[in-house]
Amino acid sequence: MNNNVRHEFSIIEDLPNELFVGIFSYLNGVDTVFAFLSLNNRFQKLLRKYCKVFDFKSSSKLQFDTIFDQYSTKRWKSLQLSNDDQTSGQIEYCFQRYPLSVYFTQLKSLSLLKLKTNNLSILSELSFLTNLTSLKIGFICGDIISMYDLSDLKQLKRLVVTSCFNTRWTNKLSQLDTLEYVIMHCCLNPLVLTWPSKLKHLKIVLESAEHNELLPQSISNLSELTNLEIYQKEQGYTIPNGQQWEQIISSSCPLLKNFKFVFQFPYQSYISNQIEQIIASFSTPYYIRSLKLKSTVSSPSSLNESEVEQIIRTFALKCQHISICIPMSFDIVVSFLRDMQQLYSLHVVTDVKNNEKITLKWLEQQQIGLNYTNCHLINEEYNYYFWLGIH
């Protein structure tokens, strides 16, 4: 290549180190290492110094061994390992060769996914990670994890864990700001649902709907809570009660600003005004003035126009995301998009008749301010997904 041609293009060696350092900070170190592995010594030095986040969840054993053989772990800040079907035994394989207490004391974030319950000696070494601020573990029974004192991790601010209904062990973790707890039914231990009193952010995911009646009272001691998320992944046996939540939150969580929830419930058409009753319980002045709500209305049967209108009137000024089942009516969809003033996304499940479909071209014709620049629309059979950028 002659000099004239070379100056017309930028080649990778011409780019400054600062640019690569910035790029590396956004990438998984595993991908970064193998993208630059065969390049010159300059890039090898950059990889060793600035690749600090390593996620081996989808890595082959060859990738794992290559990185550990050629790169020191001393600069790593984040590590994720997994025992899923594609990387079975990865966690044990790693720490048998590279003990936590020797190779990873500088870590700030550690994720151990699908930890095997027959080999939990790894947890006894967590106390050596004195710089750890974020820990993710799953799955482990509350009785078992209570045998390991995580309160020694003085810098720990965020814990993500999949465990059972016995959450008493979390009370020792007064240093936590954020707790994300996935509840699974896995044992016969007593049902003890309680949380660290100093939490600011709490996310609860119920894999089943059993014992969801314990949730409201469980937050009664969280006076510093500012964000609460509750997701019920199975249909429950009772309908959600906004007034019950209002009483608990207003009396026990005075600082709460955001309440995000998904409560799946049986929609029974023979019960008069069932949806109206549920919506009314979450549309008191307290909810409208005090809280920022993210709600999902989910039902196996379609809502009628009257119920839709009440949803819009109630949540127009607050709700950012909604998923709803309605009869096929373009007018109803337009009403949601036009009148839900804070909406970020809308998921509509509807009956498609006469091969009619909502398109961006049709939306532009409705003159409600939506077009290809501020609305991304996906249609998958009976589902319409609107991703909005107008607010």
Side-chain angles (χ1 to χ4, degrees):
M1 179 181 292
N2 62 49
N3 290 335
N4 291 333
V5 175
R6 189 178 190 280
H7 288 301
E8 292 178 3
F9 300 93
S10 292
I11 60 175
I12 194 169
E13 283 85 357
D14 291 337
L15 300 176
N17 287 346
E18 292 77 9
L19 179 61
F20 290 106
V21 171
I23 293 173
F24 290 174
S25 67
Y26 289 98
L27 301 177
N28 177 9
V30 177
D31 299 328
T32 307
V33 165
F34 279 89
F36 292 87
L37 188 62
S38 60
L39 298 183
N40 59 34
N41 188 55
R42 171 200 173 193
F43 288 100
Q44 299 313 305
K45 290 181 178 179
L46 288 174
L47 292 174
R48 289 184 171 88
K49 187 173 182 179
Y50 294 107
C51 281
K52 300 179 180 181
V53 177
F54 286 85
D55 179 0
F56 291 96
K57 185 172 65 172
S58 301
S59 300
S60 69
K61 185 176 179 296
L62 176 61
Q63 291 175 317
F64 182 96
D65 289 337
T66 300
I67 289 175
F68 275 86
D69 287 345
Q70 298 188 22
Y71 295 88
S72 170
T73 65
K74 296 298 183 180
R75 293 182 182 270
W76 294 10
K77 299 301 181 185
S78 178
L79 173 65
Q80 177 158 285
L81 302 170
S82 175
N83 281 339
D84 64 20
D85 291 342
Q86 295 179 341
T87 53
S88 180
Q90 184 185 79
I91 297 174
E92 293 74 23
Y93 179 84
C94 176
F95 294 133
Q96 285 171 3
R97 290 158 177 76
Y98 309 97
L100 270 174
S101 57
V102 177
Y103 290 87
F104 299 103
T105 56
Q106 78 294 337
L107 281 181
K108 291 188 175 182
S109 177
L110 175 64
S111 297
L112 304 176
L113 308 182
K114 298 190 177 181
L115 195 61
K116 293 182 178 180
T117 56
N118 60 354
N119 189 1
L120 297 175
S121 59
I122 297 163
L123 299 180
S124 62
E125 296 193 46
L126 289 176
S127 59
F128 291 96
L129 307 186
T130 56
N131 296 306
L132 201 66
T133 60
S134 177
L135 176 63
K136 184 174 183 179
I137 304 178
F139 164 82
I140 184 169
C141 177
D143 267 5
I144 295 176
I145 198 171
S146 65
M147 296 186 294
Y148 303 91
D149 192 1
L150 300 185
S151 62
D152 289 341
L153 301 174
K154 303 301 183 183
Q155 301 301 316
L156 188 66
K157 298 300 180 184
R158 177 176 178 264
L159 175 64
V160 181
V161 62
T162 300
S163 189
C164 62
F165 252 104
N166 180 10
T167 68
R168 185 186 285 116
W169 62 273
T170 66
N171 289 339
K172 299 179 182 179
L173 307 179
S174 58
Q175 74 272 38
L176 287 182
D177 286 337
T178 299
L179 175 60
E180 299 181 20
Y181 199 105
V182 180
I183 300 177
M184 296 182 65
H185 291 277
C186 62
C187 60
L188 299 177
N189 289 324
L191 306 178
V192 183
L193 206 58
T194 180
W195 313 106
S197 59
K198 300 296 184 181
L199 284 179
K200 294 180 173 59
H201 312 277
L202 175 61
K203 179 179 178 179
I204 305 170
V205 179
L206 289 167
E207 290 289 339
S208 72
E210 292 184 86
H211 310 301
N212 62 355
E213 72 279 0
L214 299 176
L215 290 176
Q217 195 59 41
S218 75
I219 67 167
S220 61
N221 68 325
L222 304 183
S223 60
E224 299 183 23
L225 198 66
T226 59
N227 295 278
L228 175 62
E229 300 180 48
I230 299 175
Y231 301 98
Q232 180 182 301
K233 298 178 73 172
E234 285 187 356
Q235 181 174 288
Y237 308 106
T238 59
I239 63 174
N241 187 333
Q243 293 177 348
Q244 179 187 25
W245 283 104
E246 178 182 339
Q247 291 172 2
I248 293 290
I249 293 172
S250 60
S251 63
S252 305
C253 308
L255 302 181
L256 193 71
K257 297 299 181 185
N258 298 287
F259 184 20
K260 302 179 181 180
F261 56 87
V262 174
F263 296 125
Q264 297 195 45
F265 59 91
Y267 179 74
Q268 298 165 325
S269 58
Y270 61 86
I271 299 179
S272 177
N273 300 323
Q274 183 191 38
I275 298 298
E276 286 91 337
Q277 294 174 20
I278 297 172
I279 294 173
S281 73
F282 284 98
S283 58
T284 64
Y286 172 77
Y287 284 110
I288 295 174
R289 288 198 303 263
S290 303
L291 292 179
K292 181 178 180 181
L293 299 177
K294 175 182 177 181
S295 59
T296 298
V297 180
S298 178
S299 66
S301 301
S302 296
L303 305 177
N304 59 44
E305 291 191 26
S306 174
E307 292 167 338
V308 169
E309 289 173 0
Q310 184 171 358
I311 291 174
I312 293 175
R313 286 197 307 270
T314 302
F315 296 114
L317 298 179
K318 287 284 184 178
C319 192
Q320 295 179 341
H321 312 270
I322 193 163
S323 176
I324 199 163
C325 179
I326 62 174
M328 186 56 187
S329 171
F330 287 179
D331 291 339
I332 290 178
V333 175
V334 170
S335 296
F336 269 110
L337 295 172
R338 181 189 62 228
D339 299 332
M340 299 290 286
Q341 299 178 16
Q342 301 300 319
L343 211 59
Y344 287 0
S345 67
L346 173 64
H347 171 208
V348 177
V349 183
T350 186
D351 298 327
V352 179
K353 298 178 180 179
N354 300 323
N355 294 320
E356 294 180 300
K357 293 185 182 297
I358 297 176
T359 64
L360 277 176
K361 181 178 180 180
W362 181 85
L363 278 177
E364 291 179 2
Q365 295 171 352
Q366 306 313 302
Q367 298 182 348
I368 56 175
L370 291 177
N371 53 55
Y372 73 95
T373 66
N374 56 25
C375 177
H376 183 65
L377 171 61
I378 295 178
N379 173 218
E380 297 178 352
E381 290 192 275
Y382 301 106
N383 294 271
Y384 285 93
Y385 300 90
F386 299 83
W387 183 27
L388 307 171
I390 56 179
H391 306 297

